[in-house]
Amino acid sequence: MKRRNYGIDLLRIVAMYMIVLYHCLLLGGVINKATQIGIGSINYDISWLLDTLCYCAVNCYALISGYVGVKSKFKLQNIIKLWFQVLFYSVVLNIIIWVTIPNVPINKGLLIQMLMPISFERYWYFSAYFILFAFMPFLNLLLNKLDKSMATKLLILVCSFGETFIFRAKTFLSLQSGYSAPWLIILYLIGGYIKLYGWKFWKHDRTVYFSMAILSFAVFLLLGGEQSHGRVLINYPAPTMLFMGIALLNIFSKLSLNFRIIQGVKLFAPLTFGVYLIHIHPFVAEYLFKDRFADIALNSPVMFIGKIIIFSLCIYLVCSIIELVRAKLFKLLKLNVLADAIAAYIQRHFEKLI
């Protein structure tokens, strides 16, 4: 029986916490307030350094998909279960905001978006992942059929498609700063390659992670910050962010965890997607999240760091509890069983069609 790599599951947890922290800085208004206080101030630098350290977390998820998926059996019911989850939060959180907060707009367009979250990209990552999922069997076939030499050449080819220097100003083959299915497909291929052959391009993953973060941050400051072209190395397809994500994948995939940590990982890892869906829901982000943490930027550097870490952790834990309740409700309603039945029906009729 294949042994589960709980280090990868731990990375899911850590990466999602990094995403929450990043959103606290950005959507929570901390970076904007720090910028107003003064570009070049210590809290401005701290906020952008933390942003840089966390920015690769989204890349980690797509890399994990390839790392785990390349040797896994394709299961249509998996995407159906995720779609149920996305639709649940898209509808329920909309209704809660409409009921509890006065003057929140409600119209036909918003109702359609609520019921069609993939088509209207209410969650950009899931909309892109939905496309990636359809290609997974073909990507797996490609990776498993190629020998190591050809797979390495493919890896070099896909890595060279970074938008940072090549396609930023062009529409053809644009990766849209990484907010796209093509970028997730590239990351999937890289993650699958690492699972099959390991990563031999460097030896010291921690050194790579921190050196790439420092390089990205230094370039950000040297090029004039966000107001200029400073974010050239702080976007998903940037080589530095790609290498940071790969380094984290390598670090966590090699971890040996004790029993107590594994138990915690088993509890929290399945909840991570729910954490994402809750805290970044369009209405939650706009009416509950936006600029709520801006005043953190007014604190001393030590208090600044402490508060942003603690507040991010609190959001993560609250969202995890909500997701745990949602999972139990779905189990009670047997929606996972329904997803299995729908998948079997689709596969049966698709096979007849072809």
Side-chain angles (χ1 to χ4, degrees):
M1 186 175 68
K2 185 169 63 174
R3 185 179 178 183
R4 190 174 184 90
N5 188 331
Y6 288 105
I8 293 296
D9 285 331
L10 180 59
L11 177 57
R12 297 181 199 272
I13 298 170
V14 172
M16 185 52 65
Y17 173 74
M18 293 165 71
I19 290 170
V20 173
L21 196 154
Y22 161 73
H23 285 145
C24 283
L25 290 167
L26 184 66
L27 296 177
V30 178
I31 285 178
N32 186 51
K33 177 66 76 171
T35 303
Q36 292 174 9
I37 293 170
I39 296 174
S41 64
I42 183 66
N43 281 2
Y44 175 85
D45 290 346
I46 290 173
S47 62
W48 276 107
L49 179 59
L50 289 173
D51 177 277
T52 304
L53 289 167
C54 294
Y55 205 85
C56 68
V58 171
N59 283 352
C60 288
Y61 268 89
L63 289 167
I64 289 172
S65 295
Y67 187 90
V68 173
V70 70
K71 286 294 185 180
S72 299
K73 183 180 179 182
F74 180 81
K75 295 181 179 179
L76 182 60
Q77 57 265 41
N78 289 347
I79 198 68
I80 296 174
K81 291 173 184 177
L82 290 178
W83 183 81
F84 281 169
Q85 188 179 357
V86 170
L87 184 63
F88 173 83
Y89 282 121
S90 181
V91 172
V92 170
L93 291 177
N94 255 47
I95 293 173
I96 291 174
I97 298 296
W98 276 328
V99 170
T100 58
I101 299 180
N103 303 319
V104 176
I106 177 172
N107 53 55
K108 181 180 177 181
L110 288 173
L111 287 171
I112 293 173
Q113 291 178 30
M114 177 184 74
L115 296 172
M116 302 178 67
I118 298 175
S119 299
F120 287 93
E121 294 187 272
R122 300 204 90 194
Y123 300 99
W124 78 264
Y125 187 90
F126 184 68
S127 295
Y129 180 84
F130 192 86
I131 297 172
L132 166 63
F133 188 88
F135 281 91
M136 282 182 185
F138 310 104
L139 298 175
N140 290 346
L141 182 64
L142 174 65
L143 285 168
N144 285 290
K145 288 295 184 181
L146 293 177
D147 59 30
K148 185 177 180 180
S149 175
M150 287 300 295
T152 303
K153 292 175 183 177
L154 174 65
L155 180 73
I156 295 170
L157 177 63
V158 298
C159 284
S160 70
F161 272 74
E163 183 186 26
T164 301
F165 300 114
I166 304 175
F167 301 119
R168 174 166 291 279
K170 301 178 177 69
T171 54
F172 72 97
L173 293 179
S174 174
L175 300 178
Q176 300 177 43
S177 294
Y179 294 87
S180 64
W183 178 241
L184 296 194
I185 289 173
I186 289 173
L187 291 172
Y188 186 94
L189 288 170
I190 296 171
Y193 176 93
I194 294 172
K195 176 64 175 180
L196 294 174
Y197 303 110
W199 187 261
K200 309 298 183 183
F201 296 92
W202 63 66
K203 294 182 179 180
H204 305 292
D205 294 301
R206 289 177 178 83
T207 301
V208 168
Y209 173 78
F210 287 109
S211 62
M212 290 296 100
I214 292 170
L215 174 60
S216 299
F217 180 62
V219 170
F220 172 82
L221 295 180
L222 289 171
L223 294 183
E226 189 177 26
Q227 291 69 30
S228 184
H229 299 286
R231 294 198 61 167
V232 65
L233 292 181
I234 306 178
N235 65 86
Y236 297 135
T240 49
M241 293 300 134
L242 173 60
F243 294 157
M244 287 170 68
I246 292 172
L248 287 178
L249 180 67
N250 289 336
I251 291 168
F252 281 86
S253 66
K254 298 170 186 175
L255 288 181
S256 179
L257 307 178
N258 63 44
F259 176 78
R260 288 187 178 181
I261 294 178
I262 288 175
Q263 294 307 110
V265 168
K266 285 182 177 180
L267 173 64
F268 283 99
L271 308 177
T272 54
F273 187 54
V275 173
Y276 166 74
L277 295 176
I278 296 166
H279 89 277
I280 205 62
H281 181 281
F283 275 19
V284 172
E286 178 66 24
Y287 296 104
L288 298 181
F289 206 167
K290 187 177 180 180
D291 296 332
R292 295 292 181 179
F293 306 109
D295 288 345
I296 292 178
L298 302 175
N299 287 265
S300 67
V302 174
M303 289 295 292
F304 175 102
I305 295 172
K307 283 186 177 181
I308 197 67
I309 289 173
I310 292 172
F311 287 174
S312 301
L313 181 61
C314 289
I315 292 172
Y316 187 98
L317 292 175
V318 169
C319 292
S320 294
I321 293 170
I322 296 171
E323 169 59 9
L324 187 61
V325 174
R326 193 279 315 163
K328 291 185 179 298
L329 175 63
F330 272 34
K331 186 175 182 179
L332 182 66
L333 297 175
K334 297 184 178 180
L335 290 183
N336 289 340
V337 176
L338 176 61
D340 292 338
I342 293 173
Y345 177 85
I346 293 174
Q347 288 175 322
R348 186 166 59 251
H349 283 76
F350 183 73
E351 289 172 359
K352 287 182 180 180
L353 180 65
I354 61 174

